[in-house]
Structure formats: structure tokens, C-alpha cells
Amino acid sequence: MNGFKLAPQSVFTFQFIFVIFMTALLPVQPLFAQKKSSKQKANTVQSTILLAENEKSLYRVVIPAAATVHELKAAKVLQEYVLQISGAVLPIIESTKDTSRYEIVLGQNERLDELGLNINFNELKEDGFLIKTDSLRLIIAGGTEKGTLYGVYTFLENYLGCRMYTSQVKRIPQQKRIALGKINDLQIPAIRFRDVFYKVAWDAEYTDWHKLDHNEKGDRTDWGMWVHTFNELVPPQIYYLEHPEYYSLVDGKRIPTQLCLTNSKVLELTIQNLRKKVAQNPAATYWSVSQNDNRNYCTCDQCRAIDEREGSPSGSIIHFVNQVAEQFPDKIISTLAYEYGRKAPKHLKPHENVNIMLCSIEVNRDKPIPDDATSEDFRRDVEEWGKIAKDIIVWDYVIQFNHLISPFPNLHVLQPNIAFFSRNGVSAMFEQGNKEVGGEFAELRSYLLSKLLWNPALNVDTLMNDFLQGYYGAAARPIRTYIDEMHAALRKSGANLRIFGSPNDAVTSYLTPALVKRYEQLFDEAEKAVAQNPELLERVRIAHLPLHYAVMEQAKKNFSGENGVFIKTSEGWRIRPDIRSRIDPFTDLCIRQGVTLIKEWSTTPEEYRSAMYRLFSQGMNEHLAYHKKVQFISPDPGKLPREATAMLTDGVRGSHDYAFNWLTFAGQNLEIIIDLEEAKPVKRIESAYHQYAFWLTILPKKVEYFVSMDGKNFEQVADIANTLPIDQYGGQQRDFIADFEPRPVRYIKIKAYTLGNTPEWHPGAGRPAVMRVDEIVVE
Ligand SMILES: [Zn+2]
């Protein structure tokens, strides 16, 4: 795997103007016709078809007598773009009208029979197409669904030089003369169902142009139910109280986390409720009957017997789903091979009309799946499902989910991974990017993924350079260098790249202080290159956001260390100007761009800003307990990390990201004593806790503060109950503050009470709540 190579300079010197209309004359020669390019070059010279010249054309678009809506649309799209490119109007006529030698024959057209062209439409299936010249005629004929429309968009791209980089940024070359050489271009997608889950890919024309299977809302209209549907099919709100036996037996207790898949009544209810849903949406083919998003599956004797026999909890899942599928022979029942159910069963096989949705959530992203030693289990699962299932959709992940706007150098694995899935019989792919607006290189990623799902053999370098030039103009080269250098640094470091990692994990690999400096230079260069063009400048600044974010996240972790938020001056601790200066432009641009969340389920740009301001205002605080010894009564200090005893009084507050500066443990109370070393007047004690309830981190039920002069007799000074709800799953912090009349104090005791196990309605029901505490501040 050689990674990317910087494109030759000549590619970058090509000049484009990036508005809806372009005035430069472009060659007819396709820019990325791949393997055929040399042949095409020869053909261009001896062109056979003069499609338009001086705003005139002899050609008409011939549609079938009973054209489908997609064929009709294909004709209109072709007409519209040829008009924009050349000024020539191509009339659209039905095939029953007069024949002419100057025709563009579209779709599954009667005219093709008259011409004796034996096109194998079976081979084209739904979306494939053939673009072909036949004497003076041009033929664009596609499969039963959008094949012809896709053929037209491909013709515009590969033969007329058009591009659609985003819904707002197109390139339409102006040409007085459109001449075509001989064409014979058959394309059938490698992946039958292609979904790129990026908000930028939801525009209706973008979806068609890039041959994607969702609509402008991101909905998959062929899917009646999508994923994690057990609770929707057998709702615990209705059944759990009276029939706990319908749900998972976990540690001897029935909890409504998953279904008991061997209970016959559960099967009956599932079929009955699914029938109602199918009746409401009969057009949808795919119906998901799949596990909820937690790991508490049923371990009752019957479920366990199947799972043991099959060597995986997927055994009871397939056993159950097959029975549902038998009742819906004309539908496809989809189920998840995810987390505990990812390994294929040993003996059972999914029925013909069962679709397996396989998830790559755990996989490393620094190496392609086929080359990565740590992906061995996953490769085995893909191959084993591939042997027993006819219909597999892979749910793949392409960004860093805890940090939606963060550098994530995984572009080099996109192509080999898609090619790997395609080789192993995967027929459908859902590429999960960002469900929110924005994200690192969202436009580029969406573009590359769309192209590669259609044809994983495309040249990624060519695609990427074409995109960067089209979208960033003169800033393309420094941005490409930024991408390449970051990817090279990751490779050189040998570090892993995970979708649940963070910019702090990258501080020794692709985001070292020296590299960050270098990246900043490249962005300076990029901004200078497009300084005269406000639109391009804004795009470059948006591309810069992830770097700002990474710098701020690293500063929060380093806090008062190198490149931290605070710097020590002769006048005490001050906010580092380099950090202070980033937060407002970062937040403002996020808001301007329409970014809704910065983390997968939480943190609006404004919340991010206010957390930074909270940090600034609290400052680097050398309070009375600063660097004082902390004695742990609970939890057992032997089971805590070595730095735990220093962490709570190091002057550094746990911040927005739960991954650092928080002392973390599960299922136990916090009980500690701090010795101030001498009696001092104290008037305030505070301690802060982090809540991220979806991931089981939950605030204490209450916090008590006690003071003492001798370390033996403690007097309570505060008892503060938690008032924040735990059923809102976003991230929050809360300070538990006790203010009292100043009094001399030497010892301080803090008790924070854990919630214990999470309640039954919680997605992680029955598991111990995690407590995250940081900085005991005494003043
Ligand atoms: Zn069971």
C-alpha cells in the first residue's frame, strides 16, 4: 500500500472558474475515464458525432414510447445541460416519431430493436447502463430503475467535463462545439445499494448525479424499518410490566434491553406488528428486525442453548429472524450482525429473503481491512457471512464519532475497504459519515465514497485532485499537501486510528506539536492563495476547522503544560493567547456553516464555546487544596490509576471531554479526605462531576461535605442533592458547591453517592453507573 502521491504540478496549473457557469473551454476528452483514457484520446481526433456547434444541433433526444419517470428525467437532464454547455436546444421526441440519423436514443427504447443493437438489459439490472455510439447515433440505455439517468450523468461527467462537487458547486464547461469520438462504455455498479450518510449528499440532484440510494432527507425509501427495531416491534412500554418474560434474561433478571428470541409469543407479536407496518408502507422491500443498541441479550436456557450450539448469539437471532421471514416471502427481512451478534452462526443459514447488516464498528482505520493484523476477526466474520448469506449490507464508519470535527486521516483506507467488501459478496453499503452538517472534509469524503461505491477500481488520486482543484481552486495544492503529510505521519508512527479515538490520541502520531505548526503553515498558504475569492476562502477556512479543534482539545488536556490553555507569566497564570484567539472564530464559523453538533450526540457549537469560557473563567486555580494529599476511603486506591491521588487537586479541571482530567470508576461511592497540612480559613468547597448518561456516566445522587480540625471528628457543612435528570443523554458537567461562613479547617471529607446500577428503562440497564469526578476546589 503506497498511499497517495502528490499529483504532478501540471495537474494543478489547470485553471477553472468555480461558479455554476464556466467560461474556459474544456477538452471533450474525459478527465477521468480511467483505463480507457489513451484510447479515448485517439478517438477524439477522429470524432464521429458533432453534437452541437455555434448554439445549434441536428440532434434530438429520443425517448421510449412509454418512458419511465426516470427515463423522462434523464432526457430533461441531458437537454438542460447540453443547453447550458453549448447553447443548443435538443428537442425530446418519442420513439414512434420520424427517425433520423442524428439521434440520442435513451432508455429501454423500441428504436434499439430497429437498429439491431442487442443490448443485454438483464446484465444492467437496476442501475447499470451502456453509453455507446453507433454510426451517428449516441445511445444511453440503462437498467430498470435509474440506469438511464445514471448513464446521462456519467455522460455529462466523463464525456462533457461536467462536475458536481456539492449541491452548490458545479462545473459546467462552456463549449461552442461538442464533438464526440467513438464510445462504448458499459458500467455496472460493484455495490448494488449505495448509501453515503453525509448531509452534504442529501440534495436531490446530488443523489442522482452520484448514483446514491437515498432521498433528499437521507431516507431510504426502499427500507420500511431501518435498524435497532426490537423495541419498536415489541414495545416494552406496552408489554414489559405484564410480560417481563418477553425480554432479555440478564444475570437472572428479565430486563427490557433485548427480546427473548425463543419465546413464541414474542415471535407472534413481532409478526403481527410488522404486518401492520408493512400494510402502512407496502412499497418498501426491506424491513429490519434487529437487536437494540445495547449488549444485554437474552441468556435464558432456550436462547442460550441455540447460541451455544451455533457458537455465537447470532444463532438465536437468525433462528428468530428466519421464522419472521417465512411470513413475509415477498419482503426482505434485515437483521444486524453487530457487536455481540457479529460472528456468523456455525450451522444455521439465513433464509433467501433475509438480509444481513454487518457492522465494521470495531475495525482499525489506519490500515485497510485486508492488510490489518488486528482486523482478522472481522475479516473472518465478513467471509463467513459471505458464505451463508445471499444479501449482505455493510454498515461502515468513516469518521471520528466522538469528535465529528476532527482530523481523521483514513482517506487511504476507503478504497481498499470497499474493494474488500465487494470481493466478499457484499451487495449493499451504508457509509456512515456525519449526520450533522459539517465534519472534516465532508464534501471530499462524500464525493470519494460515492464514486468508489460505484466503482472501487477508480483511481483515488485522480478523483481527489480533481475534487480539490474544483472545490478549493488555487488552494488545492497546500490542502493536498496537508492531507498527504497527515496520512504519512500516521503511517510513519505506526499508531492505530479508531473511530472512537480523539485528537489527544494523535499527539504522538499525526498531530504532534511540530506537525500542527507545519499544518498551520499550509493553511496560511492555502488562505493566501485564495485571499481574493471570498467563496473559496470560506471553504478553506471550513477545511481548517478540524485543526483548530484539535489544537483546542489538546490544550485542554495539557492545561498548564506545553501548549496548554494556561501559561505562567510573572503575573501568574494567564490564558494562552493562541488558544483564546481560536474559540470565537471557530464557533462563529461552525454556526455560519450550519454545524449543529460537534460530538456525535451532543455539544452544539455554542455549548462548546461556553465550556471553553467556563475553563477560561475558572482559570488555573492554585486553591487551598492545590497539590495537597488525597486519602481514598472509597473506591480502593489500589484499583485506581497511579495518577488518581494527584488528579483531584492538581489545579486542572475536568473539561468538556470526559476522556481526560476526570477520575473515573464504576459502581462505588467516592469518599476521600484531604489534608490541608495546617488549619486555614475555609469558606467554600466544590467538586465537579461529568454526566454522559447514554454511555453510563451519571452524576452522583448527592454529595456531602464535612470539615474537621483533627482528622477524626468531622462536621457536615453541606448535603447537596443532584437535580439534573439522567434521561437526557447528552454530555453535561455539574459543580456541587458549598458556601459557608469562613471557619478554620485542616481536614476536608467528601462523599459522593453513586446511583448504583442504571435503572431498567436505561439503554445500559442493570449496569453500574460510572462516576467521573474532578478537581476538589477549596477556598
Ligand atoms: Zn430467551
Side-chain angles (χ1 to χ4, degrees):
M1 221 282 307
N2 298 317
F4 303 121
K5 300 226 171 55
L6 206 60
Q9 179 70 42
S10 63
V11 178
F12 284 90
T13 51
F14 217 77
Q15 285 293 319
F16 298 126
I17 296 170
F18 307 95
V19 284
I20 296 297
F21 278 91
M22 195 187 104
T23 47
L25 190 70
L26 271 169
V28 177
Q29 156 83 15
L31 287 187
F32 62 121
Q34 308 306 320
K35 289 171 195 157
K36 290 191 229 82
S37 60
S38 56
K39 213 160 89 189
Q40 229 102 48
K41 209 174 270 170
N43 288 339
T44 311
V45 180
Q46 36 173 289
S47 59
T48 57
I49 292 179
L50 186 61
L51 200 59
E53 193 168 34
N54 295 326
E55 306 188 359
K56 295 214 165 52
S57 176
L58 295 171
Y59 280 81
R60 71 259 302 263
V61 178
V62 180
I63 54 171
T68 67
V69 302
H70 301 308
E71 286 168 335
L72 204 55
K73 186 165 176 199
K76 288 185 175 151
V77 167
L78 183 62
Q79 184 186 50
E80 171 63 26
Y81 279 94
V82 169
L83 174 66
Q84 288 190 37
I85 294 167
S86 68
V89 181
L90 305 179
I92 298 172
I93 62 157
E94 279 184 19
S95 62
T96 46
K97 302 276 161 53
D98 306 339
T99 53
S100 152
R101 290 167 25 167
Y102 301 101
E103 288 179 341
I104 303 173
V105 183
L106 285 194
Q108 303 203 355
N109 200 310
E110 299 81 358
R111 192 77 102 231
L112 298 170
D113 301 332
E114 292 163 25
L115 296 169
L117 289 167
N118 291 319
I119 294 175
N120 182 355
F121 283 105
N122 286 337
E123 182 189 30
L124 300 179
K125 294 189 181 146
E126 296 98 0
D127 295 345
F129 56 80
L130 175 69
I131 307 173
K132 184 178 164 59
T133 49
D134 179 64
S135 174
L136 289 175
R137 289 191 180 82
L138 172 68
I139 290 139
I140 303 178
T144 49
E145 282 294 314
K146 293 189 175 175
T148 301
L149 181 59
Y150 293 164
V152 163
Y153 279 121
T154 300
F155 175 73
L156 295 173
E157 263 195 337
N158 289 7
Y159 299 95
L160 301 188
C162 299
R163 293 289 183 277
M164 186 183 207
Y165 295 116
T166 70
S167 64
Q168 307 296 316
V169 184
K170 286 192 219 169
R171 187 180 83 193
I172 300 163
Q174 300 289 284
Q175 299 185 57
K176 279 196 166 13
R177 184 169 187 274
I178 304 178
L180 299 172
K182 230 181 209 161
I183 301 173
N184 190 7
D185 186 355
L186 172 72
Q187 296 199 23
I188 292 159
I191 304 289
R192 183 181 48 75
F193 171 92
R194 302 162 302 278
D195 192 356
V196 173
F197 193 65
Y198 256 118
K199 221 162 204 171
V200 291
W202 292 358
D203 170 79
E205 188 179 16
Y206 186 98
T207 298
D208 282 340
W209 188 301
H210 295 288
K211 313 179 182 85
L212 297 172
D213 287 284
H214 55 234
N215 65 16
E216 66 279 12
K217 288 189 214 135
D219 297 334
R220 295 150 288 270
T221 48
D222 206 25
W223 287 72
M225 294 176 88
W226 176 235
V227 78
H228 299 311
T229 60
F230 278 177
N231 272 5
E232 213 179 322
L233 289 163
V234 187
Q237 310 84 285
I238 302 177
Y239 301 108
Y240 176 62
L241 278 183
E242 273 184 52
H243 295 284
E245 75 278 11
Y246 292 176
Y247 299 91
S248 278
L249 185 73
V250 178
D251 298 329
K253 203 171 168 233
R254 293 283 178 177
I255 52 174
T257 49
Q258 303 285 355
L259 298 177
C260 175
L261 297 174
T262 50
N263 182 307
S264 60
K265 192 74 191 157
V266 169
L267 179 65
E268 205 179 290
L269 281 170
T270 301
I271 292 167
Q272 187 186 311
N273 289 334
L274 185 57
R275 244 187 245 296
K276 282 184 208 155
K277 289 177 188 292
V278 170
Q280 285 159 12
N281 183 8
T285 310
Y286 285 82
W287 293 86
S288 178
V289 176
S290 60
Q291 70 197 65
N292 299 319
D293 200 1
N294 66 67
R295 292 166 200 177
N296 293 326
Y297 59 92
C298 187
T299 57
C300 76
D301 290 347
Q302 291 80 358
C303 289
R304 200 167 49 193
I306 298 177
D307 292 345
E308 280 174 6
R309 186 188 74 212
E310 297 294 336
S312 165
S314 65
S316 52
I317 296 174
I318 295 303
H319 171 79
F320 179 79
V321 169
N322 275 349
Q323 294 176 80
V324 177
E326 283 163 18
Q327 301 299 315
F328 298 89
D330 58 339
K331 298 291 172 196
I332 295 172
I333 304 301
S334 174
T335 199
L336 277 166
Y338 171 66
E339 287 201 323
Y340 65 82
R342 205 191 72 192
K343 190 170 181 290
K346 277 190 206 155
H347 312 288
L348 279 168
K349 286 193 168 89
H351 283 352
E352 290 267 326
N353 65 329
V354 170
N355 162 276
I356 300 300
M357 185 181 268
L358 192 61
C359 299
S360 71
I361 197 162
E362 304 90 348
V363 167
N364 244 335
R365 312 286 152 171
D366 50 282
K367 292 186 200 73
I369 292 166
D371 307 338
D372 178 28
T374 66
S375 295
E376 200 185 327
D377 284 2
F378 182 73
R379 280 198 296 273
R380 178 206 60 204
D381 292 345
V382 172
E383 286 158 9
E384 290 190 347
W385 283 108
K387 285 179 208 154
I388 61 171
K390 284 253 151 49
D391 185 1
I392 300 176
I393 177 169
V394 165
W395 185 313
D396 193 24
Y397 303 79
V398 295
I399 61 166
Q400 196 150 64
F401 284 91
N402 285 344
H403 305 273
L404 297 175
I405 302 174
S406 182
F408 193 61
N410 68 333
L411 295 177
H412 62 301
V413 307
L414 302 179
Q415 178 185 39
N417 285 357
I418 292 173
F420 165 77
F421 291 127
S422 169
R423 274 200 306 280
N424 281 285
V426 170
S427 50
M429 286 201 70
F430 175 74
E431 295 284 7
Q432 187 174 353
N434 191 358
K435 68 183 164 58
E436 313 296 332
V437 171
E440 190 212 25
F441 289 124
E443 302 84 3
L444 169 66
R445 287 163 177 278
S446 172
Y447 189 84
L448 292 178
L449 288 165
S450 307
K451 298 285 182 214
L452 291 170
L453 287 177
W454 182 265
N455 180 5
L458 290 177
N459 182 316
V460 182
D461 270 318
T462 313
L463 283 178
M464 196 187 310
N465 289 338
D466 179 78
F467 180 91
L468 295 178
Q469 290 167 69
Y471 194 68
Y472 296 108
R477 192 170 179 81
I479 288 182
R480 176 75 208 233
T481 307
Y482 165 72
I483 291 171
D484 288 341
E485 291 189 7
M486 187 178 286
H487 282 73
L490 171 68
R491 267 201 305 279
K492 196 171 153 215
S493 74
N496 285 153
L497 186 68
R498 297 201 176 266
I499 64 170
F500 293 113
S502 84
N504 277 303
D505 300 336
V507 74
T508 52
S509 54
Y510 58 90
L511 289 169
T512 65
L515 284 170
V516 166
K517 246 187 217 146
R518 163 71 180 152
Y519 301 152
E520 293 290 10
Q521 282 169 4
L522 289 168
F523 272 108
D524 282 349
E525 233 178 88
E527 289 197 16
K528 270 195 205 109
V530 294
Q532 302 309 314
N533 184 327
E535 215 174 308
L536 295 187
L537 186 60
E538 184 86 341
R539 283 181 214 157
V540 170
R541 285 181 174 155
I542 288 169
H544 196 168
L545 286 175
L547 192 60
H548 291 306
Y549 177 79
V551 168
M552 290 190 289
E553 288 298 290
Q554 291 185 345
K556 282 194 284 184
K557 178 155 191 209
N558 299 342
F559 210 78
S560 57
E562 198 191 348
N563 302 317
V565 178
F566 296 99
I567 183 167
K568 190 144 198 179
T569 69
S570 54
E571 288 146 36
W573 291 99
R574 291 287 177 271
I575 303 164
R576 192 182 294 275
D578 179 46
I579 303 305
R580 181 68 188 81
S581 65
R582 285 180 202 255
I583 183 64
D584 286 329
F586 172 84
T587 312
D588 294 341
L589 182 50
C590 282
I591 292 169
R592 209 157 64 230
Q593 191 199 354
V595 170
T596 35
L597 292 181
I598 284 172
K599 294 170 183 276
E600 191 183 9
W601 299 110
S602 68
T603 318
T604 63
E606 274 306 354
E607 282 167 350
Y608 191 78
R609 168 156 44 203
S610 74
M612 286 297 275
Y613 272 84
R614 176 178 188 264
L615 210 59
F616 295 157
S617 70
Q618 287 171 336
M620 173 69 195
N621 189 356
E622 293 185 9
H623 51 85
L624 293 178
Y626 179 64
H627 282 179
K628 294 293 185 286
K629 202 170 155 271
V630 177
Q631 182 204 340
F632 276 82
I633 298 160
S634 169
D636 177 357
K639 293 191 175 138
L640 291 173
R642 209 144 48 93
E643 64 273 20
T645 48
M647 203 179 202
L648 296 179
T649 54
D650 61 359
V652 180
R653 298 204 186 218
S655 82
H656 217 85
D657 189 339
Y658 63 78
F660 54 83
N661 280 339
W662 295 99
L663 177 62
T664 303
F665 51 91
Q668 293 174 75
N669 292 335
L670 173 78
E671 187 172 357
I672 53 170
I673 295 173
I674 300 171
D675 180 0
L676 301 181
E677 292 167 8
E678 58 184 312
K680 288 175 181 166
V682 171
K683 58 178 175 130
R684 166 182 256 218
I685 306 169
E686 57 177 281
S687 56
Y689 302 80
H690 191 278
Q691 174 158 292
Y692 199 177
F694 188 80
W695 296 114
L696 295 175
T697 304
I698 293 173
L699 293 174
K701 274 191 298 192
K702 64 170 183 167
V703 178
E704 296 172 342
Y705 296 117
F706 305 84
V707 296
S708 166
M709 285 296 286
D710 60 8
K712 289 180 190 117
N713 300 303
F714 281 90
E715 188 189 327
Q716 191 178 65
V717 288
D719 175 348
I720 308 164
N722 176 40
T723 49
L724 284 183
I726 68 164
D727 58 355
Q728 287 158 21
Y729 295 143
Q732 317 173 53
Q733 296 150 19
R734 183 175 171 194
D735 303 309
F736 288 71
I737 301 171
D739 284 312
F740 45 90
E741 282 298 302
R743 57 192 289 177
V745 168
R746 165 135 185 207
Y747 298 92
I748 290 160
K749 180 150 84 174
I750 294 153
K751 274 184 93 168
Y753 293 79
T754 174
L755 179 80
N757 290 349
T758 43
E760 275 157 0
W761 49 262
H762 192 277
R767 293 175 163 233
V770 172
M771 194 183 294
R772 290 190 209 275
V773 52
D774 190 52
E775 206 57 10
I776 313 296
V777 178
V778 178
E779 278 162 355

